Amino acid sequence: MTKLHKLDDSLLHYAWDNSVAPRLTIDPGDTVVFATRDAADHYYTKDSTSQNVEEKGALIGHPLTGPVFIRDAQPGDTLILDVIDVVPSLDFGWTAIRPGKGLLPQEEFPNCFLQIWDLSDGKIARMKQRDDIAIPIAAFPGILGVALDEAGEHSTIPPRKNGGNMDIRHLSKGTTVFLPVWVEGALFSVGDAHAAQGDGEVCITAIEMSATVTLKIDLKKGDAIAEPRFRMHEPLCTATNTGTHYATTAHGPDLYECSQRAVRYMIEHIVKERGLNREEAYVLCSVCVDLKISEIVDSPNWIVSAFLPEMVFV
């Protein structure tokens, strides 16, 4: 008989380390309700300002809730995660710009910037200082991961073969995620929830939030995969894939540089057409603009497009 477990955020870890003792042991098929902290570990409040971004300093490691030991999980198996629900646990979220981080260089955004979002109704994220921006909440955990099979501490910042900081906006309620198991028990952890994000998370943060994440955790024996996979059971991103979109494009032989130019063009458009300042526009690109590889076969140039759902303007 499957069980329901709860795991609070009173004891966290900040790196992938297979020597960290599990906080919970479960059977395959059990459901766990995780309390998770935002990426800044409850540093920001509703009254925080851009000055607080500079004072905080750089991220060292994400706060992770776990690990969870899954009985009978062995290397070569696949962990199956059904995302049952992801909801904000506080009534605000935040997005930060830190110079030299994110897609665009420090010369273009030389100052720290903090955007506070009102999440109080649980359905819409609203910019604290504006009443004409409303982002539908489409929450997901930015980090879903298992312990690595290499000893020692490994940073949570880059995504890895264990999953980790994937920041895939599609890993939301209703999605099934498949993770390779690298150590006995898998040692699964979760964290870094986002209320909303565009594909690319271009300023390096989404709408970061503390959350309650409910996952059913199952196991497929002897069916190894090399890296994470997932299955969506509904159409993509129905919260924002409605109404009109405005898109910018950039071409060239380097997909990273093309992505930079497509976002620069989008920032120009938002500032000119919608009256936001550059920092607000960059933040908006991070939380709702989707980068897509539109073409990658006509050498020597490829096309990257940036899609802005215009339904976020009210």
Side-chain angles (χ1 to χ4, degrees), residues 258-314:
C258 288
S259 298
Q260 288 180 312
R261 283 193 288 119
V263 170
R264 288 190 186 109
Y265 300 153
M266 185 59 74
I267 290 171
E268 290 177 4
H269 167 74
I270 293 171
V271 169
K272 180 180 178 181
E273 298 296 327
R274 299 293 181 173
L276 280 69
N277 64 39
R278 280 179 51 78
E279 288 77 16
E280 291 170 335
Y282 192 20
V283 161
L284 197 65
C285 287
S286 198
V287 304
C288 74
V289 168
D290 290 331
L291 287 178
K292 299 181 185 293
I293 300 173
S294 295
E295 187 267 298
I296 198 169
V297 293
D298 292 328
S299 175
N301 292 331
W302 328 125
I303 291 282
V304 172
S305 303
F307 289 82
L308 169 68
E310 294 184 305
M311 57 85 66
V312 304
F313 300 104
V314 297

Side-chain angles (χ1 to χ4, degrees), residues 64-311:
L64 301 180
T65 304
V68 174
F69 185 99
I70 295 90
R71 290 190 182 94
D72 202 30
Q74 298 290 339
D77 296 339
T78 294
L79 206 62
I80 304 171
L81 309 171
D82 287 318
V83 183
I84 305 300
D85 210 357
V86 184
V87 295
S89 57
L90 297 176
D91 62 357
F92 77 98
W94 57 271
T95 308
I97 297 173
R98 185 175 292 280
K101 304 295 183 181
L103 182 66
L104 299 181
Q106 182 169 345
E107 292 75 19
E108 296 181 47
F109 289 91
N111 300 314
C112 291
F113 180 79
L114 182 69
Q115 177 63 58
I116 298 295
W117 300 86
D118 178 4
L119 308 180
S120 59
D121 76 354
K123 297 179 180 179
I124 299 292
R126 300 183 185 277
M127 278 186 167
K128 181 178 180 180
Q129 74 279 20
R130 304 184 67 100
D131 59 5
D132 57 346
I133 305 291
I135 311 292
I137 292 177
F140 68 97
I143 294 179
L144 295 162
V146 297
L148 291 159
D149 53 353
E150 296 96 13
E153 293 188 352
H154 302 270
S155 171
T156 65
I157 294 174
R160 301 177 183 273
K161 67 179 184 179
N162 67 325
N165 193 29
M166 296 183 286
D167 289 328
I168 300 174
R169 64 178 296 206
H170 310 290
L171 306 186
S172 55
K173 180 178 179 179
T175 296
T176 302
V177 184
F178 306 94
L179 298 179
V181 175
W182 298 107
V183 300
E184 182 183 3
L187 298 178
F188 171 79
S189 299
V190 61
D192 187 32
H194 298 166
Q197 180 199 293
D199 283 332
E201 196 189 21
V202 294
C203 86
I204 210 170
T205 50
I207 300 182
E208 310 288 333
M209 69 172 189
S210 297
T212 302
V213 180
T214 304
L215 304 171
K216 180 184 176 185
I217 303 177
D218 214 334
L219 188 65
K220 190 169 186 179
K221 297 292 296 178
D223 187 18
I225 57 176
E227 298 191 54
R229 305 176 183 183
F230 61 96
R231 172 177 285 119
M232 299 186 67
H233 301 279
E234 296 180 354
L236 297 181
C237 305
T238 55
T240 53
N241 279 351
T242 61
T244 62
H245 285 66
Y246 185 88
T248 56
T249 71
H251 76 282
D254 185 319
L255 288 175
Y256 191 86
E257 196 275 337
C258 288
S259 298
Q260 288 180 312
R261 283 193 288 119
V263 170
R264 288 190 186 109
Y265 300 153
M266 185 59 74
I267 290 171
E268 290 177 4
H269 167 74
I270 293 171
V271 169
K272 180 180 178 181
E273 298 296 327
R274 299 293 181 173
L276 280 69
N277 64 39
R278 280 179 51 78
E279 288 77 16
E280 291 170 335
Y282 192 20
V283 161
L284 197 65
C285 287
S286 198
V287 304
C288 74
V289 168
D290 290 331
L291 287 178
K292 299 181 185 293
I293 300 173
S294 295
E295 187 267 298
I296 198 169
V297 293
D298 292 328
S299 175
N301 292 331
W302 328 125
I303 291 282
V304 172
S305 303
F307 289 82
L308 169 68
E310 294 184 305
M311 57 85 66

